[in-house]
Amino acid sequence: MKKAKFLYLFLLSIFFFIGCSPKQTKIKTSNSKYCANELSLLSISDSLKKITIDYSLEEKPLLSSIEEKVGENVCGELVSFGLILKNEDVIKIQYQKICDDGIIFCGRKPWKAKILLNEHGLLLIDYELSSIDSVKHWLHQNLMNGKGVKFKETSIQWQTETPKDSIEKTFANIMDGYLLKYEDLSQQLFLKKICDLETSQINILKEKLSFKLQLELEELIIIPPPPPIQQE
């Protein structure tokens, strides 16, 4: 009788643990509006450094700060790290320092969706004036076309005087834009929402569209000032 009672309690404890474990997973991601699958598409592996950066630093001090926190000399190397946003979401960033090798690149890079922010918080995306709130819709519509991936990566650059809130808002819109496109792919391929996919299916989405967000610091930003107010 005692053995049967012990076995019953043992099995009950196992079922209790199994039933509670998914809830524990949800608690870990409850601080973010994104589900675990969405975060896995945009975030980084545990092996990479997660850092914060001071958006108000000028180019050289900012670069030195990134190198110090990441622990790598980024000259000529493509370095990846996780940028911790104010809301504690972590977004995967790539950076490659332009070294003094005498090579100068002129012209547009058609495979890159380039986002520029000036000191007024005005934004250009692919050299077209846009609002920050429209970035997610632009990426959703333009990242891919009928032939496949149109923009293999997205880059972001700002000026020292650019408001911090504008920068963080732009990061959030970039994340949302990619997720809108991932949601399209998820429905097309699996007839499921991203949050309902298996790990193997998430990996297929990554193969179809890789999330690559590159930080650019050293190119000249030329964004037109706001249009003058017309007097009636």
Side-chain angles (χ1 to χ4, degrees):
M1 185 67 180
K2 289 183 179 180
K3 289 184 178 180
K5 185 176 181 181
F6 176 80
L7 181 61
Y8 172 78
L9 292 174
F10 177 74
L11 293 174
L12 184 63
S13 64
I14 292 177
F15 289 134
F16 178 80
F17 176 80
I18 293 173
C20 289
S21 56
K23 294 180 180 179
Q24 292 172 353
T25 302
K26 290 181 180 179
I27 291 173
K28 290 180 181 179
T29 58
S30 61
N31 292 332
S32 175
K33 71 175 184 177
Y34 305 111
C35 70
N37 280 347
E38 290 172 326
L39 289 174
S40 72
L41 288 167
L42 305 177
S43 191
I44 64 171
S45 64
D46 292 335
S47 61
L48 293 179
K49 293 286 185 67
K50 301 178 181 66
I51 67 172
T52 58
I53 61 177
D54 185 349
Y55 302 113
S56 63
L57 290 177
E58 295 184 355
E59 172 198 319
K60 290 185 178 179
L62 178 56
L63 177 56
S64 298
S65 173
I66 292 174
E67 287 181 325
E68 181 180 351
K69 291 181 178 181
V70 175
E72 295 185 45
N73 183 349
V74 300
C75 182
E77 299 293 333
L78 186 64
V79 176
S80 297
F81 60 90
L83 176 62
I84 304 172
L85 303 180
K86 185 178 180 180
N87 61 6
E88 297 185 357
D89 282 330
V90 180
I91 185 171
K92 181 170 58 180
I93 300 288
Q94 294 180 330
Y95 179 71
Q96 185 170 14
K97 182 179 179 181
I98 300 175
C99 300
D100 187 14
D101 55 8
I103 298 175
I104 300 175
F105 179 85
C106 297
R108 299 175 64 172
K109 300 175 183 177
W111 69 89
K112 180 185 292 188
K114 192 177 184 70
I115 297 174
L116 306 174
L117 285 159
N118 72 358
E119 70 273 17
H120 304 292
L122 288 176
L123 182 142
L124 287 181
I125 182 166
D126 198 33
Y127 302 94
E128 296 179 1
L129 195 62
S130 177
S131 68
I132 295 177
D133 289 332
S134 297
V135 168
K136 61 184 175 185
H137 302 298
W138 191 96
L139 290 172
H140 180 210
Q141 296 171 4
N142 293 281
L143 281 172
M144 302 182 72
N145 55 26
K147 298 179 180 179
V149 178
K150 179 179 180 181
F151 293 103
K152 296 180 180 179
E153 59 188 58
T154 301
S155 68
I156 183 171
Q157 185 181 8
W158 60 82
Q159 293 180 319
T160 306
E161 300 83 4
T162 303
K164 178 180 178 179
D165 290 346
S166 296
I167 300 170
E168 291 249 332
K169 190 176 180 181
T170 303
F171 277 125
N173 270 269
I174 292 171
M175 296 172 76
D176 287 343
Y178 271 85
L179 286 176
L180 286 172
K181 180 48 66 176
Y182 278 129
E183 192 64 55
D184 287 350
L185 291 173
S186 180
Q187 292 292 342
Q188 292 170 11
L189 296 173
F190 310 113
L191 300 177
K192 293 181 181 179
K193 293 182 178 180
I194 294 174
C195 298
D196 298 329
L197 297 181
E198 303 292 334
T199 301
S200 59
Q201 295 171 324
I202 290 294
N203 291 334
I204 292 174
L205 291 188
K206 291 179 181 179
E207 292 175 1
K208 293 289 184 180
L209 176 64
S210 179
F211 178 71
K212 292 182 180 180
L213 177 58
Q214 193 165 17
L215 176 62
E216 293 188 348
L217 299 175
E218 298 155 296
E219 294 186 20
L220 180 64
I221 299 179
I222 302 177
I223 299 181
I229 299 176
Q230 296 181 353
Q231 296 181 350
E232 295 181 357

